[in-house]
Amino acid sequence: MIQPNLARKPRIVVIGGGTGLSVMLRGLKQKPLDITAIVTVADDGGSSGILREELQIPPPGDIRNVLSALADTEPLLAEVLKYRFSNGTGLAGHSLGNLILAAMTDITGDFVTGVTELSRIFAVRGRVLPAANQAIVLKAEMEDGSIVVGESTIPKSGLAIRKVFLEPADVEALPEAVQALREADAILIGPGSLYTSIIPNLIVPKLAEAIIQSDAVKLFVCNVMTQPGETDNYSVSDHLAAVHAHIGHHLFDYVIVNDGEIPPQVQSLYAEQGSTAVHLDLDEVTKRGYKVIADTLVLFRTYLRHDAAKLSDHIYHLVEDWMLRKG
């Protein structure tokens, strides 16, 4: 007999930014889930940074990546969105998808409306929402007390991060994002750059409040590798401690981590960039009250990436079980 609350698709809200989020969403969109992706608007580097500065719009890059991941279109169309001009005065370095989003913002008169209309054009499975309808400046206080300004600058400072914060501090969360969190059956955070993609969403005041108050199952997908300049030598518990320090709450029910072996030659490649495998300190994580789902969750092609199919299987089963228990 089908439980009443499984007669509909579970509503899952995914929060983050960057490549890791897009990889995971490609797996999740194959599941019977009602997906809403809330994406950071703190990016200030590359094409996104230029468009943000010149056109006074939220940075489109992470939004464009997520739209591409969730789009139900021909592969060639996804390639068009990702296409980056390699030359041309004023064009070199720009992603075509970023320019299309900038154009849609101008045509519709609003960034969120532009994203919504582009989602319809590209037959996106789910909703893609910026965390706020304005660009946010991300700042970091480093271990020596100095302040570094800018999402793209923070990892290059050479100092450990003590905390990150937003300007303006009272940035208004997108109402649709807050509503999605209130209605969610599951809230999924990560993977992605801890201090520059994940935490910037969580410290938008009304988003944090909605997550804390929600009775959804809350899942954290931990990164496979450390990120130079952000999470050097971090263990799984260090990632969780950083979130707790910023939010002040025990946020997650489950932590999903990779415990599969990473081949030595792959570790060597990453070590050259200052990156190592995130250590699963299982006793410490469970001692803090988190339930751990550990599995071999990585694939290596050109880069190490989460195995989207296996990861989405774990996520879907956790969400399904949670809804059955809730009755």
Side-chain angles (χ1 to χ4, degrees), residues 266-279:
V266 176
Q267 292 198 47
S268 296
L269 282 173
Y270 275 81
E272 290 172 10
Q273 305 163 35
S275 183
T276 59
V278 173
H279 170 61

Side-chain angles (χ1 to χ4, degrees), residues 194-264:
L194 181 64
Y195 287 103
T196 54
S197 287
I198 293 173
I199 291 175
N201 286 307
L202 301 181
I203 56 178
V204 174
K206 287 185 180 176
L207 290 188
E209 184 182 317
I211 295 168
I212 291 162
Q213 292 175 354
S214 171
D215 64 354
V217 62
K218 295 160 194 170
L219 318 172
F220 181 72
V221 180
C222 192
N223 294 334
V224 175
M225 305 297 289
T226 62
Q227 185 167 350
E230 284 204 37
T231 55
D232 299 284
N233 303 313
Y234 269 38
S235 65
V236 174
S237 70
D238 290 329
H239 283 76
L240 295 164
V243 173
H244 192 282
H246 282 80
I247 310 304
H249 281 265
H250 181 97
L251 213 54
F252 309 109
D253 301 295
Y254 292 92
V255 180
I256 303 174
V257 299
N258 171 65
D259 68 350
E261 187 178 346
I262 298 168

Side-chain angles (χ1 to χ4, degrees), residues 133-198:
N133 200 11
Q134 67 183 95
I136 296 169
V137 176
L138 185 67
K139 297 184 176 183
E141 179 185 333
M142 314 310 287
E143 62 179 350
D144 66 349
S146 62
I147 304 297
V148 178
V149 180
E151 179 267 351
S152 61
T153 310
I154 291 166
K156 300 173 185 173
S157 71
L159 296 166
I161 299 167
R162 185 177 292 162
K163 67 175 180 178
V164 293
F165 55 99
L166 303 177
E167 190 177 276
D170 60 349
V171 60
E172 195 69 28
L174 191 72
E176 295 94 325
V178 174
Q179 189 63 28
L181 288 166
R182 286 176 178 157
E183 296 173 353
D185 299 303
I187 297 170
L188 176 60
I189 295 166
S193 301
L194 181 64
Y195 287 103
T196 54
S197 287
I198 293 173

Side-chain angles (χ1 to χ4, degrees), residues 4-47:
N5 58 346
L6 290 188
R8 61 169 174 80
K9 292 180 181 179
R11 293 184 290 258
I12 184 168
V13 177
V14 185
I15 301 174
T19 307
L21 179 65
S22 300
V23 169
M24 182 175 67
L25 286 171
R26 285 190 172 89
L28 284 177
K29 77 176 182 182
Q30 307 302 329
K31 300 294 183 186
L33 293 166
D34 180 350
I35 301 171
T36 298
I38 298 175
V39 186
T40 182
V41 283
D43 189 8
D44 64 356
S47 170

Side-chain angles (χ1 to χ4, degrees), residues 271-309:
E272 290 172 10
Q273 305 163 35
S275 183
T276 59
V278 173
H279 170 61
L280 171 55
D281 47 346
L282 185 60
D283 289 346
E284 186 63 30
V285 175
T286 53
K287 186 173 75 178
R288 296 182 188 186
Y290 302 100
K291 301 181 184 75
V292 176
I293 306 296
D295 196 359
T296 301
L297 295 173
V298 288
L299 294 171
F300 179 75
R301 294 190 177 98
T302 309
Y303 301 97
L304 269 178
R305 294 284 183 257
H306 275 98
D307 183 328

